[in-house]
Structures are given as C-alpha cells and as structure tokens.
Amino acid sequence: MKYLNYLFIVLGAVVAIYAKTGTEQNEYVLIGGIVLLMVGIYRISRSIPSRTDEDTFDNNQNENNDF
C-alpha cells in the first residue's frame, strides 16, 4: 500500500510535467497529474504522527516526575 502512494506521487509529477512541456498545454491532463500528486502526498502525510502529540506527552511525563 505504501508503494501505491509513491506511485501516485511519481506518476502525478510525470504527468504534470508532461502536460506542461507541450506547446499546446492540456489543462485537464495537468489537473489530473496535480490531483494524483496531491493524493499521494496526502496519503503519506496521514501516516506521519503529529509532533505536538509527542511534545504534549513528553511534557506531561516530565511534570509528573517532578513531584
């Protein structure tokens, strides 16, 4: 499943670059490439934990140990 996300990103980037390089730009192909790119990035970013959750957990642990 992780490789599917990377495939979306690479495929979206290639399609977007391909659509942009032509003399007559096809906006629908460009939009499709950008959508694939953004879907891949979104799906990967969902699996990255939030940094604020870790900081809050660490701060709560340190406050409890001070007493």
Side-chain angles (χ1 to χ4, degrees):
M1 194 59 117
K2 182 171 70 170
Y3 297 112
L4 181 65
N5 298 334
Y6 294 121
L7 181 67
F8 280 160
I9 292 173
V10 170
L11 188 63
V14 168
V15 168
I17 290 171
Y18 171 75
K20 191 72 174 159
T21 58
T23 57
E24 208 170 295
Q25 297 174 356
N26 190 349
E27 286 106 18
Y28 296 114
V29 175
L30 179 63
I31 291 170
I34 292 172
V35 166
L36 276 176
L37 180 66
M38 296 306 287
V39 166
I41 291 171
Y42 170 72
R43 289 172 55 119
I44 287 178
S45 69
R46 284 190 314 182
S47 64
I48 299 173
S50 174
R51 185 173 184 188
T52 57
D53 291 341
E54 290 178 12
D55 290 342
T56 304
F57 179 75
D58 289 341
N59 288 339
N60 288 339
Q61 291 294 328
N62 290 337
E63 289 174 0
N64 291 336
N65 291 337
D66 288 341
F67 294 111

